[in-house]
Amino acid sequence: MNTVVKCHSVPKLLEVLKELTDDYQIYCPVKQDDTETFLPLEQIEQDELLTVGEILSKNEPPLYSIKSFLFPNSEVYLKFRRNHDKVDFTVHSQQPEPTIVIGGKPCDVESFDMIDKVFLQEPVDTFYKQKREQTIFITSICTSKGPNCMCEEFGVDKSEPKLSDILLIESEKTEEKSDGIYLKGVSEKGTKLIERLAELDGLQKVDNSPNLIEDKEEIEKLCPEAIKDKMEKLYDSDIWEDLAMRCLGCGICTYYCPTCHCYDINDYSRKGEGVRYRSWDSCMFSDFTNMAGGHNPRPTKADRIKNRFFHKLNYFVKQQGPLACVGCGRCAKNCPVGISLNTVLQKIGGQNNGK
């Protein structure tokens, strides 16, 4: 049976969690300057606490996904120093601190199922693995779908995501009040944290959390194999040239996407010593596949758009099994010209009409 604790409000929960900041880095979603971001709990001002609750209670994902907590947008992994006629290398090994991330949505935490298949298979990415083991994700569940959401079509359970460590469930609000906030342990490390929280003032152990979705709507899930096969017929379609006419090539779809995981490697050096670091890259950039000698296998925007959608809906299925999308809708919401996964799904008959 899952361990459950209850608190009467989000601000009170955050106040209690501050007692753990000696042992954990704790991050929360917050709105600053009309933009949603994640900040360390101790940096959130008193007048910003209400915005944390507003973001947690939304039935759509926050602006940014939570992948950067395991796969940072920039990360040093080697240090080097020139020593006369040779170069000495050392692995930049820094054990990540135990971290709690509050406020990812079910689609966000389920995206790790795809990224795990890339970074945790041999050769294992030890930087990702260490952060994966040291981070506890408290997932704010959704009770309905947001305007761009297609999570259930992509197989995500918006009320019981299997990869979450702890579920955050806000009881149904009335005009007068909310009954409270419930935290439900799911994973072993999440349950251990819940047991510790139950010992703190302001949280009480309860028998169970409320069931806010009593009758789940039957949603027809997309079949990865069927989508993969239909994409084969689209390989030489004119759709890629049509989309290329609209696409700006800004790459914003890849940076907001919780399952995109491409990166570039660069060196920075000064006076004989430096670092080798990786940083997020985008397959939508013209030099992403540019090779030494000048050959580029994807020289046009149409080539790059086709590759992006084929990776999500065909190549990844062939290599790993699932579609490389969790239906969060961030590409639909943030693309300046309105291109999303659903743009292509509509072409092959797998769309959810109206989105």
Side-chain angles (χ1 to χ4, degrees), residues 171-314:
S171 65
E172 197 167 5
K173 289 181 178 178
T174 65
E175 290 185 1
E176 292 79 21
K177 62 177 183 178
S178 165
D179 181 45
I181 305 295
Y182 294 80
L183 296 178
K184 179 179 178 182
V186 180
S187 70
E188 182 180 347
K189 59 184 176 182
T191 300
K192 284 182 180 178
L193 179 60
I194 291 287
E195 294 287 352
R196 182 174 175 187
L197 289 173
E199 299 172 357
L200 303 177
D201 290 338
L203 291 174
Q204 64 178 105
K205 221 170 191 177
V206 294
D207 292 335
N208 212 336
S209 56
N211 179 15
L212 303 181
I213 307 176
E214 296 179 353
D215 298 315
K216 288 187 179 179
E217 183 183 357
E218 286 296 325
I219 301 290
E220 184 177 354
K221 295 178 184 176
L222 296 168
C223 173
E225 283 296 317
I227 297 292
K228 180 204 70 174
D229 292 342
K230 290 181 178 179
M231 284 295 292
E232 299 281 358
K233 299 172 183 174
L234 217 58
Y235 193 82
D236 294 319
S237 168
D238 291 337
I239 182 179
W240 312 119
E241 291 292 345
D242 295 341
L243 291 177
M245 292 295 290
R246 291 167 53 189
C247 178
L248 304 178
C250 64
I252 199 168
C253 50
T254 57
Y255 290 124
Y256 279 114
C257 177
T259 69
C260 280
H261 51 268
C262 289
Y263 60 86
D264 193 11
I265 295 174
N266 287 285
D267 290 346
Y268 173 79
S269 63
R270 187 168 181 267
K271 295 184 177 179
E273 59 183 285
V275 297
R276 177 161 292 179
Y277 65 97
R278 65 179 177 186
S279 54
W280 290 0
D281 203 349
S282 173
C283 59
M284 297 304 296
F285 294 158
S286 59
D287 61 352
F288 179 75
T289 49
N290 204 25
M291 300 179 182
H295 174 63
N296 191 336
R298 296 199 285 270
T300 70
K301 203 185 296 179
D303 293 326
R304 296 189 286 276
I305 291 175
K306 181 166 68 174
N307 175 74
R308 171 171 165 74
F309 284 106
F310 262 80
H311 173 74
K312 298 285 186 188
L313 304 174
N314 181 280

Side-chain angles (χ1 to χ4, degrees), residues 96-152:
E97 294 184 53
T99 300
I100 299 171
V101 179
I102 305 170
K105 286 294 182 177
C107 53
D108 288 321
V109 75
E110 295 298 81
S111 71
F112 295 136
D113 187 38
M114 288 93 185
I115 302 182
D116 284 353
K117 293 180 188 305
V118 177
F119 287 143
L120 296 185
Q121 289 185 352
E122 292 294 339
V124 173
D125 187 311
T126 54
F127 292 89
Y128 177 87
K129 183 173 184 285
Q130 289 174 341
K131 294 185 185 69
R132 189 84 168 87
E133 294 170 346
Q134 291 291 317
T135 306
I136 295 175
F137 290 101
I138 300 180
T139 308
S140 173
I141 72 160
C142 297
T143 54
S144 62
K145 293 170 67 173
N148 297 297
C149 297
M150 290 182 62
C151 57
E152 290 172 305

Side-chain angles (χ1 to χ4, degrees), residues 40-54:
L41 177 56
E42 61 268 27
Q43 292 182 18
I44 297 177
E45 303 290 341
Q46 189 67 28
D47 59 355
E48 295 170 337
L49 291 178
L50 285 179
T51 71
V52 177
E54 291 170 3

